[in-house]
Amino acid sequence: MTTDSAPVSNFLRTIIDNDLKSGRYQDRHWATPPGTAAARRAGPIDPARIRTRFPPEPNGYLHIGHAKSICLNFGLANDYQGICHLRFDDTNPEKEEDEYVQAIIDMVRWLGFDWTHDGTEHQYFASDYFETLYQFAEALVQAGHAYVDEQSADEMRATRGTLTEPGTHSPWRDRPVAESLALLREMRAGKHPNGRMALRARIDMASPNINLRDPVLYRIRHATHHRTGDAWCIYPMYTWAHPVEDALEGITHSICTLEFEDQRPFYDWILQRLAELGQLAEPLPHQYEFARLNLSYVVTSKRKLRQLVTEGHVNGWDDPRLPTLAGLRRRGYTPGAIRLFCERLGVSKADSRIDYSVLEQALRDDLDPSAARAVAVLDPVKLVITNFPEGQVEPCSAPLNPHAPEAGQRQFPLTRELWIERDDFREEPPKKYFRLFPGNLVRLKYGYVVRCTGCVKNEAGAVTEVHCEYLPDTRSGTPGADSVKVKGAITWVSVAHAVAAEVRLYDRLFREAHPDRGDQDFLQALNPDSCHVVQAWLEPGTQAVPGTTWQFERLGYFVADREDSSADHPVINRAVTLRDTWA
């Protein structure tokens, strides 16, 4: 894909520029499929100047936070004539499903990115490397860099130490290599139950970095994996598998969020030990960290998103109120808007929280030049033009998009009875109210100037009809259009020609900017008015083909729902208002 604008410099680009200038990666080799040092040396020179990767775990749906990483990794590879891999870190069989794999593929492609280069599809799985990872683990054991520990998980935690106190050695830390190797093979063969033992790296139990205090490499899990089935009953820890995967795939710049910064020494330790053992090829990958995306008025924890879905607080992973990419797409967000949002955020190492309004403004800016215009009335009350002949139909027109004259005009009829917004009439108007009230003049947009003459109410006192008279010589686009000056204009649709539609007025899912701050229950911050459904009337000719986007004049940007909308029953979602109503 092409980028939306010229790249903006950041610390990662500076690092890549310096690496390319120094020739750090120019002589590295590439193997298809990715492999060990021997396989890489036998392959050709890598055609990619750099390699990055987007490595999601397939245990949920991608959210807006992932979009920043997607745009960054694929964008850098694109800008530097490199290749970005899509890799699924599927090392936790109890939480991962093929449904999530397909959903992730769908969303990355929807954002406009691809992982195929010269006919080779660079889509990989951690499970592709399970056998290689296991062989590497045996090599570490044989070299004295790992051992099988028979402490329980609780005992390991107790002996790990604290941030101010060193850990204590496991009683199994110095067991003979042959014994650890035999036990590791028994673990693989399924001879031990879950939690009975684990393989740990032998590093330094007194290290000030707690992640270097003999971290676990393998744990026993008798669980069915979504790809390998029951072939394995030991699974690699993410922090062990991830650097090895990067090295096997020839990743040059392994870009992670800041929470992985403390893991970088372990990342380097693994790669250095395996390179010393001749298992991995130089040059080795290097990990770099950037600030993750923290967005106000949402939660992005997969656990909390799953809770919202499973407990029925929302209607599935693609509920338009969720920050999942599937939800944002269904709400009406475009790939261009999300890429623009990520571009505006930039890349830094400083954590910050971005207000939701920044995301909304990116959507407005992306849609404004291209979205077709139409009129919708969401809270209708009937307007009767009492001096307009009954049965008369007068054609009116307006630009399909004022920014694109070449798009042409849209046509719609003016009749005696119209639907207008209830808020466009006040029997007793407040100050600076320039719409309909008895005696006031307003323009029916694209039509005539009218004078309000009164209203009709029901027994409860609610207005059921507004009455007015039109001034025949004031039609828009005619010489008399400016003969009468008015301060207000209102939108309308013909009662006889309007298209009925269900409109879902979505708002923010949470009332508080930081719903999961501290230990508070984020469910208590749910916004009870996050979805309000109304029966609306649309400009005739508006066809609610799923995914179609409009700007409904004066109201905002709307999209035909991808799941529920049909020709017989249009369902329209509000994506964003024209202005930030939360400001």
Side-chain angles (χ1 to χ4, degrees):
M1 62 160 290
T2 58
T3 54
D4 297 321
S5 60
V8 177
S9 182
N10 56 56
F11 78 96
L12 290 173
R13 289 183 178 276
T14 300
I15 289 169
I16 294 172
D17 288 337
N18 291 336
D19 286 344
L20 293 177
K21 184 177 180 180
S22 69
R24 179 176 180 178
Y25 295 110
Q26 67 182 14
D27 295 327
R28 73 193 193 287
H29 291 246
W30 166 252
T32 304
T36 62
R40 290 272 298 282
R41 283 193 293 267
I45 293 292
D46 196 331
R49 297 181 75 203
I50 67 169
R51 285 185 187 263
T52 59
R53 82 288 171 274
F54 172 59
E57 182 184 358
N59 64 346
Y61 281 64
L62 297 182
H63 55 66
I64 186 64
H66 293 111
K68 183 176 180 181
S69 180
I70 294 168
C71 291
L72 179 59
N73 280 287
F74 280 94
L76 287 172
N78 180 76
D79 293 344
Y80 285 96
Q81 297 81 57
I83 297 172
C84 182
H85 299 183
L86 176 62
R87 183 211 303 147
F88 294 94
D89 271 318
D90 55 344
T91 60
N92 191 349
E94 293 154 317
K95 294 184 178 181
E96 296 157 355
E97 300 177 18
D98 285 332
E99 173 193 351
Y100 301 136
V101 171
Q102 296 309 313
I104 290 168
I105 290 172
D106 182 31
M107 286 298 100
V108 177
R109 284 193 171 135
W110 174 70
L111 280 178
F113 299 104
D114 186 70
W115 43 93
T116 300
H117 182 79
D118 285 345
T120 298
E121 185 177 45
H122 295 281
Q123 176 181 305
Y124 306 107
F125 291 81
S127 51
D128 292 336
Y129 313 121
F130 277 178
E131 182 61 42
T132 301
L133 282 159
Y134 175 79
Q135 295 302 326
F136 284 0
E138 284 206 357
L140 289 178
V141 171
Q142 290 172 332
H145 296 312
Y147 62 97
V148 171
D149 192 353
E150 295 185 52
Q151 293 183 110
S152 68
D154 288 339
E155 289 171 331
M156 287 187 197
R157 276 190 291 270
T159 58
R160 195 182 185 195
T162 67
L163 294 176
T164 57
E165 298 177 349
T168 55
H169 287 182
S170 163
W172 313 105
R173 193 174 195 265
D174 295 321
R175 74 187 325 158
V177 166
E179 190 176 313
S180 278
L181 192 59
L183 288 173
L184 176 60
R185 290 170 179 172
E186 289 181 9
M187 287 168 58
R188 175 176 180 169
K191 295 183 177 180
H192 301 285
N194 292 350
R196 176 66 182 82
M197 55 188 67
L199 181 68
R200 297 179 72 178
R202 182 186 282 106
I203 308 180
D204 182 4
M205 290 300 293
S207 172
N209 185 334
I210 206 165
N211 296 295
L212 294 179
R213 296 179 187 174
D214 291 11
V216 172
L217 304 181
Y218 271 100
R219 77 281 201 207
I220 301 172
R221 285 289 184 276
H222 291 273
T224 301
H225 189 275
H226 74 108
R227 293 185 76 232
T228 61
D230 297 321
W232 292 86
C233 59
I234 59 170
Y235 290 94
M237 300 298 290
Y238 172 84
T239 51
W240 148 243
H242 188 80
V244 175
E245 295 161 38
D246 282 349
L248 293 173
E249 294 178 18
I251 301 302
T252 56
H253 300 82
S254 180
I255 301 169
C256 305
T257 46
L258 280 175
E259 63 262 36
F260 293 98
E261 186 173 27
D262 289 342
Q263 289 286 354
R264 192 186 337 136
F266 182 46
Y267 181 102
D268 293 339
W269 183 91
I270 288 172
L271 297 185
Q272 289 161 5
R273 298 294 82 75
L274 291 173
E276 291 166 359
L277 295 173
Q279 303 292 342
L280 296 178
E282 301 274 3
L284 297 170
H286 190 81
Q287 178 178 302
Y288 304 93
E289 303 87 19
F290 70 98
R292 67 182 298 171
L293 170 57
N294 299 302
L295 192 64
S296 65
Y297 295 100
V298 303
V299 296
T300 53
S301 158
K302 284 184 180 178
R303 178 182 61 81
K304 292 174 182 177
L305 290 173
R306 186 177 290 107
Q307 184 178 352
L308 288 170
V309 173
T310 57
E311 294 182 1
H313 301 290
V314 295
N315 299 316
W317 287 96
D318 65 345
D319 188 296
R321 294 166 292 181
L322 286 181
T324 58
L325 295 182
L328 290 169
R329 177 174 67 175
R330 189 171 176 184
R331 180 149 177 176
Y333 276 80
T334 61
I338 293 176
R339 293 196 304 267
L340 178 61
F341 171 64
C342 294
E343 177 186 316
R344 287 175 172 174
L345 296 182
V347 180
S348 73
K349 293 183 75 72
D351 266 328
S352 61
R353 187 172 289 272
I354 307 301
D355 192 81
Y356 196 87
S357 62
V358 179
L359 175 61
E360 293 177 323
Q361 189 57 45
L363 180 59
R364 295 185 190 102
D365 292 344
D366 185 65
L367 288 178
D368 183 51
S370 59
R373 270 47 171 181
V375 169
V377 178
L378 305 184
D379 186 13
V381 67
K382 187 177 291 185
L383 176 69
V384 180
I385 310 175
T386 55
N387 63 335
F388 198 89
E390 289 193 35
Q392 180 169 317
V393 177
E394 192 162 332
C396 296
S397 64
L400 196 61
N401 185 311
H403 301 300
E406 68 278 5
Q409 300 280 306
R410 61 190 209 266
Q411 309 294 325
F412 44 90
L414 176 69
T415 56
R416 176 184 173 90
E417 294 186 350
L418 309 174
W419 292 120
I420 64 169
E421 291 289 348
R422 185 172 297 275
D423 195 47
D424 283 342
F425 171 75
R426 288 285 190 275
E427 194 172 12
E428 297 179 4
K431 290 183 179 180
K432 297 185 178 180
Y433 184 84
F434 300 122
R435 285 166 278 170
L436 284 169
F437 57 87
N440 193 42
L441 294 168
V442 300
R443 177 172 294 282
L444 299 176
K445 198 171 184 183
Y446 312 119
Y448 293 97
V449 172
V450 298
R451 176 184 290 107
C452 182
T453 58
C455 65
V456 176
K457 300 180 182 180
N458 61 19
E459 292 180 357
V463 175
T464 57
E465 286 186 4
V466 179
H467 288 180
C468 69
E469 295 177 345
Y470 83 110
L471 282 57
D473 296 328
T474 60
R475 177 171 167 160
S476 295
T478 67
D482 296 328
S483 61
V484 178
K485 302 297 182 182
V486 296
K487 292 185 177 180
I490 64 173
T491 49
W492 51 273
V493 293
S494 165
V495 169
H497 301 85
V499 176
E502 175 185 323
V503 175
R504 298 168 179 173
L505 301 175
Y506 289 109
D507 211 329
R508 299 180 186 183
L509 184 58
F510 294 97
R511 292 175 284 109
E512 297 179 16
H514 313 308
D516 54 354
R517 174 186 287 169
D519 297 327
Q520 68 183 22
D521 180 2
F522 73 105
L523 295 178
Q524 297 302 310
L526 282 169
N527 176 11
D529 299 318
S530 61
C531 181
H532 180 52
V533 180
V534 299
Q535 169 65 50
W537 297 100
L538 312 182
E539 180 181 305
T542 304
Q543 298 183 359
V545 177
T548 303
T549 302
W550 309 267
Q551 184 198 101
F552 288 158
E553 297 190 26
R554 298 174 58 207
L555 299 175
Y557 293 94
F558 292 72
V559 65
D561 189 85
R562 290 176 171 271
E563 298 296 328
D564 299 335
S565 189
S566 66
D568 296 332
H569 180 64
V571 176
I572 313 295
N573 300 331
R574 181 172 66 188
V576 65
T577 56
L578 288 180
R579 296 177 182 83
D580 179 14
T581 57
W582 284 62

